[in-house]
Amino acid sequence: MTNSPYTLRDFFAQSGLPLLEAKMLVEQALGVSRAWMITHDLDVLSEHQWQALQALCNRRTAGEPMAYIMGSREFMGLDFTVSPAVLIPRPDTETLVEAALGFLKDKVTARVLDMGTGSGAIALSIAHFAPQTQVFASDISQEALAIAQVNAEKFKLDVDFRQSSWFDQFCGETFHLIVSNPPYIHQGDEHLSQGDLRFEPRLALTDNADGLSCYRIIIQQAPRHLTQGGAIYLEHGWNQAEAVRALLIQAGFAQVCSIRDLAGIERVSGGVWLAE
Ligand SMILES: C[S@@+](CC[C@H](N)C(=O)[O-])C[C@H]1O[C@@H](n2cnc3c(N)ncnc32)[C@H](O)[C@@H]1O
């Protein structure tokens, strides 16, 4: 094995990345612990190791999100496998999961549907923290569902995943709780071509319309898939709460309200289905 002229200390000095990120890349490329790095920072790296580090560093420098490079992201305390086929789970979405868990806490059993499940972040967190529930999840993307299934196996959770456009594969089925974090970015939003969003699936980010079209479909169809007293919670953008509440009221939902995330932004809106 040929040696490079470089050590880990050289990599940290030259990478141009924040030290934490550089250390994470070393963990990923060399399969070593942070403790090992402290005691081996002056060891000469092999040419192969140095090239592996440079390859990851180049990806990060080009703006690729750390979660895709590392292949995982923590959500609700669980370590989710992610790939460019799925949205990277966001801390904001924990607001939706917590609302769902609050609704479920007194229920002995419940059927729950998460639509547009992506990595399975919402569905699997609910299955993990509310084990009395029977969880179903859909996504239109087969690639996303494959990642969700990897996560289900990793966490040893049983979720019924189906490839479906919203309710299409749930004909005649009802649920006590429906949740979704659908694509909600306006097609013209400049953020789509900036930062992490450049690397995430467009299908997960935008409805290719005004940002509200998925809510119109989901809210219009939800009543026939909810039990009497069943609830719906939908995550949305920072400026969409009023519009989503209006759609819920228009569809006949009761107790329509919005929930703020940790930043104080109305992030989730929902309601209860009481009508026949
Ligand atoms: C914003 S991402 C949410 C992913 C995940 N639930 C989360 O919160 O991290 C939206 C998801 O909706 C899926 N999606 C887009 N259009 C859909 C449709 N017509 N039916 C079902 N899922 C759809 C995308 O593939 C993507 O996984």
Side-chain angles (χ1 to χ4, degrees), residues 87 89 93 116-118 121-122 138-141 144 164-166 181-183 203-204:
L87 186 92
T93 303
T117 197
I122 298 168
S138 73
D139 205 291
I140 200 165
S141 158
S164 174
S165 181
W166 308 131
N181 173 21
L203 182 65

Side-chain angles (χ1 to χ4, degrees), residues 100-148:
L101 295 176
F103 177 80
L104 293 167
K105 77 174 181 315
D106 302 325
K107 307 266 182 298
V108 179
T109 174
R111 282 168 59 90
V112 180
L113 173 61
D114 168 33
M115 287 187 297
T117 197
S119 64
I122 298 168
L124 291 167
S125 299
I126 292 174
H128 178 78
F129 290 105
Q132 80 280 19
T133 56
Q134 198 183 349
V135 183
F136 300 77
S138 73
D139 205 291
I140 200 165
S141 158
Q142 191 57 54
E143 293 77 19
L145 288 171
I147 297 292

Side-chain angles (χ1 to χ4, degrees), residues 209-224:
D210 67 351
L212 291 169
S213 64
C214 301
Y215 299 102
R216 291 190 193 97
I217 298 169
I218 293 170
I219 292 171
Q220 194 235 326
Q221 295 182 16
R224 73 181 91 114

